[in-house]
């Protein structure tokens, strides 16, 4: 028996060449700047206070790509034309967004790190905290001289955007009385609300954090004039949200709930939602009772949104779209999904942007403002207007199911993959097993459970005595470690890409889900390159290495410690903040065990990979590329995202070629 090469992971990649004293200094400066974000710059940090006292952007215009831009910005900010400090920054508000983008462009265009950071200190000192934080974070994620810098978890920088009001109030009491406190946080809602059974997923701070980082890596306001092209960003928009919806559906099935229904502009929004959360300025996130209908807003109407959607459905049905210069572009190739993603999210594209409007953004705003559409009561934005809070609301998944159905309409029009396209001649997958902690290889079982995480709230307020310790605890879905063991035979030495998906075996009615019906709901678990030797290969892959997930982010305290220790193993130039939380890789399942199909497909590496010189070892080191793509250059795997389950399957028997193997596994939740 021969063993396929089991490839080393990202964490093992040496970081020493990218991490030096300058890096540590910059990392520390970034940490200091985002601490106590709602408070003035901390007098604790001399590095910041010196800049604050001495730096005048107008004296350094040559250090920026566009000095006039800086001049206008400083003028407008200092003359009160920008969002006030205690107003709520809303990325979907055109004026807020314009102001934020203006700052981002200045920060992104700074000619060196010091100019960038000095300007950031100035902006932090003069602007709305979350507007500053957003522009600064996106700049850190995109500047080449910030590569490897780790931003603390969003739920530690702005805990108010992740935690409930009762928790924040208790934390404040603890701070005022300097009392060491651990506060348990419950999910919102009550047992009377069936949606509460899946609140652990939508309200998971890791899910919200992932979603927020995804939108920072792929901002919908990103301009092509910036020098980074976002490869397949439209397709990524489709795919990441498609997978979130599929995962939500799997959690619903685990809890005896039917799949989420798509929103309909003319039906009531059945489920209400009470976020039980408060903004930093004391305004409460609005709640939505059950059974509300959509209303027109003063800026656009439900009909406008429908019209945009009709136009999109129309081009899907026709199979082509006109570019702004009159060219016809057909959608029936693999590029079609990317174009549709650009159109639906209204990114900076060439396909008649005014004609297609802003379907996705409008939908978020319509939902968010549904209880005060005229803004008669000055209600602040709802959770749907912030990427870090949107998934809390079950209506988020209903909206994205609705949008996902547009993409499905397109994919259903494509010709199903032929046997020749699906096959990998000479490669056979003989067996697939899942081996859990017990090492009982016959079990094919993964065990999930709820763990308890602690979040330190020490960053929330300045002057919290250091040793007090205020923490919040919450239950979070997790799973026991497991690995896949795949046996494959190759006629000759070759290289492949292993694609692993999970799909529930039975629907809500208890009927077996056929591949024809269930392919669209497949959940991607992993995708990795592999070297195959001639003969039998046993491929062992830890679930932990999944290309769709990331590990727990480092806390403020852990990053500080890693810097103090100069521990280079914690930092890496290619580090990504975006990625689905690893804890949630496996859907919850049921106490008695829930049946799933684990579907493994090996495809031809040499046909799939579109980046010349990308070898197997390099590709395997890319982190969270599954849902988060790459930050620059091309995504190496050229197959459509979700392949081969993205297109219609007309006949199960002819679909399954010998390079695929589907096995039954059980997911059992420990109670
Ligand atoms: Cu991520 Cu609608 O795009 O929330």
């Amino acid at each position: 028996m021969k063993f396929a090469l089991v490839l080393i992971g990202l964490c093992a990649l040496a970081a020493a060449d990218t991490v030096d004293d300058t890096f540590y200094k910059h990392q520390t400066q970034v940490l200091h700047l985002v601490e106590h974000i709602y408070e003035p710059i901390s007098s604790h940090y001399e590095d910041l206070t010196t800049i604050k006292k001495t730096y005048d952007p107008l004296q350094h215009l040559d250090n920026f790509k566009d000095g006039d831009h800086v001049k206008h910005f400083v003028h407008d900010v200092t003359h009160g034309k920008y969002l006030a400090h205690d107003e709520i920054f809303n990325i979907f508000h055109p004026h807020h967004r314009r102001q934020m983008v203006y700052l981002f462009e200045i920060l992104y265009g700074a000619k060196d790190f010091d100019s960038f950071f000095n300007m950031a200190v100035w902006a932090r000192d003069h602007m709305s905290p979350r507007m500053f934080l957003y522009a600064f974070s996106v700049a850190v994620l995109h500047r080449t001289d910030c590569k490897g810098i780790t931003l603390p978890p969003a739920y530690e920088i702005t805990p108010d955007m992740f935690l409930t009001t009762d928790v924040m109030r208790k934390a404040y009491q603890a701070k005022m009385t300097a009392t060491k406190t651990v506060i348990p946080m419950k999910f919102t809602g009550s047992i009377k609300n069936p949606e509460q059974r899946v609140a652990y997923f939508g309200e998971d701070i890791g899910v919200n954090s992932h979603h927020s980082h995804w939108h920072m890596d792929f901002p919908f306001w990103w301009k092509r004039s910036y020098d980074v092209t976002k490869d397949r960003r439209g397709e990524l928009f489709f795919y990441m949200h498609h997978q979130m919806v599929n995962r939500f559906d799997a959690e619903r099935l685990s809890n005896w709930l039917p799949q989420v229904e798509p929103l309909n502009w003319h039906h009531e929004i059945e489920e209400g939602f009470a976020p039980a959360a408060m903004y930093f300025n004391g305004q409460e996130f609005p709640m939505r009772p059950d059974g509300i209908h959509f209303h027109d807003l003063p800026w656009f109407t439900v009909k406008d949104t429908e019209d945009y959607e009709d136009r999109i459905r129309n081009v899907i049905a026709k199979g082509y779209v006109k570019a702004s210069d009159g060219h016809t572009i057909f959608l029936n190739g693999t590029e079609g999904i990317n174009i549709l993603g650009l159109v639906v999210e209204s990114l900076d594209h060439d396909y008649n942007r005014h004609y297609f409007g802003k379907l996705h953004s409008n939908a978020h705003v319509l939902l968010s403002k549904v209880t005060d559409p005229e803004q008669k009561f000055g209600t602040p934005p709802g959770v749907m207007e912030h990427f870090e809070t949107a998934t809390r609301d079950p209506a988020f998944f209903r909206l994205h199911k609705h949008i996902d159905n547009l993409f499905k309409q397109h994919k259903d029009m494509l010709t199903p993959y032929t046997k020749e396209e699906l096959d990998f001649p000479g490669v056979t997958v003989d067996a697939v097993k899942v081996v859990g902690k017990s090492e009982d290889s016959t079990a094919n079982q993964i065990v999930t459970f709820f763990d308890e995480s602690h979040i330190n709230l020490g960053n929330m307020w300045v002057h919290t005595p250091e040793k007090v310790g205020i923490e919040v605890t919450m239950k979070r879905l997790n799973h026991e470690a497991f690995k896949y063991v795949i046996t494959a035979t190759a006629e000759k030495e070759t290289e492949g890409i292993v694609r692993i998906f999970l799909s529930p075996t039975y629907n809500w009615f208890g009927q077996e889900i056929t591949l024809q019906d269930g392919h669209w709901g497949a959940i991607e678990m992993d995708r990795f390159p592999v070297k195959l030797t001639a003969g039998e290969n046993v491929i062992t892959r830890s679930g932990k290495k999944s290309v769709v997930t990331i590990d727990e982010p480092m806390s403020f305290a852990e990053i500080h410690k890693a810097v103090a220790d100069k521990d280079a193993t914690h930092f890496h130039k290619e580090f990504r903040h975006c990625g689905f939380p690893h804890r949630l890789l496996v859907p919850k399942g049921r106490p008695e065990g829930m049946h799933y199909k684990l579907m493994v497909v090996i495809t031809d590496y040499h046909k799939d990979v579109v980046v010349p010189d990308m070898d197997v070892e390099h590709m395997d080191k890319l982190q969270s590329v599954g849902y988060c793509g790459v930050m620059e250059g091309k995504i190496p795997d050229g197959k459509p995202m979700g392949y081969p389950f993205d297109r219609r399957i007309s006949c199960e028997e002819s679909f399954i070629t010998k390079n695929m193997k589907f096995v039954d596994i059980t997911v059992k939740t420990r109670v």
Side-chain angles (χ1 to χ4, degrees), residues 191-354:
I191 197 72
K192 291 180 184 168
N193 178 8
E195 293 298 315
Q196 210 253 352
R197 292 187 222 160
V198 283
Y200 67 86
F201 184 81
E203 294 180 18
D204 185 285
I205 55 172
V207 169
N208 282 282
S209 195
H210 154 70
H211 184 235
S212 150
H213 268 296
W214 190 94
H215 281 282
M216 284 188 190
D217 280 1
F218 302 98
F220 67 95
W221 45 268
W222 194 259
K223 298 177 186 169
R224 280 173 299 173
S225 55
Y226 305 156
D227 52 5
V228 173
T229 311
K230 304 271 179 190
D231 189 38
R232 294 164 73 182
R233 60 196 288 215
E235 186 176 6
L236 274 170
F237 169 74
F238 143 68
Y239 190 63
M240 192 284 288
H241 292 90
H242 169 65
Q243 286 287 305
M244 282 187 80
V245 171
N246 286 357
R247 286 180 172 278
F248 186 61
D249 273 341
E251 298 301 342
R252 296 178 71 84
L253 274 179
S254 301
N255 291 284
W256 294 275
L257 289 171
Q259 289 180 316
V260 68
E261 285 291 320
L263 277 182
N264 183 309
W265 303 119
H266 296 289
H267 294 176
E268 60 181 30
I269 308 159
E270 279 170 42
E271 303 88 9
F273 178 61
M278 187 184 275
Y279 286 103
F280 74 103
N281 67 356
Q283 284 185 285
E284 283 180 18
F285 278 88
M287 71 88 71
R288 181 188 65 244
D290 285 347
I292 293 272
H293 279 90
F294 283 103
H295 295 282
D296 295 343
L297 302 180
W299 321 279
F300 59 84
T301 63
V302 178
K303 176 78 170 61
D304 291 337
T305 310
E306 270 185 300
D307 287 348
Y308 293 142
E309 187 174 317
D310 285 347
R311 291 168 195 169
I312 294 171
R313 284 192 192 284
N314 212 345
V315 293
I316 294 171
K318 286 197 292 195
Y320 66 86
V321 63
K322 289 272 184 198
S324 307
D325 66 1
H327 272 89
T328 300
I329 296 152
F330 291 97
L331 299 173
N332 54 4
T334 51
E335 178 60 8
I337 187 74
N338 189 44
I339 295 169
L340 279 178
L342 298 174
V343 165
V344 170
E345 209 196 358
S346 189
L347 300 171
D348 186 2
H349 62 69
D350 281 330
Y351 312 102
N352 214 339
R353 288 178 77 187
H354 295 297

Side-chain angles (χ1 to χ4, degrees), residues 4 62 181 345 357 422 544:
D62 288 346
T181 308
E345 209 196 358
L422 293 165
K544 187 86 183 144

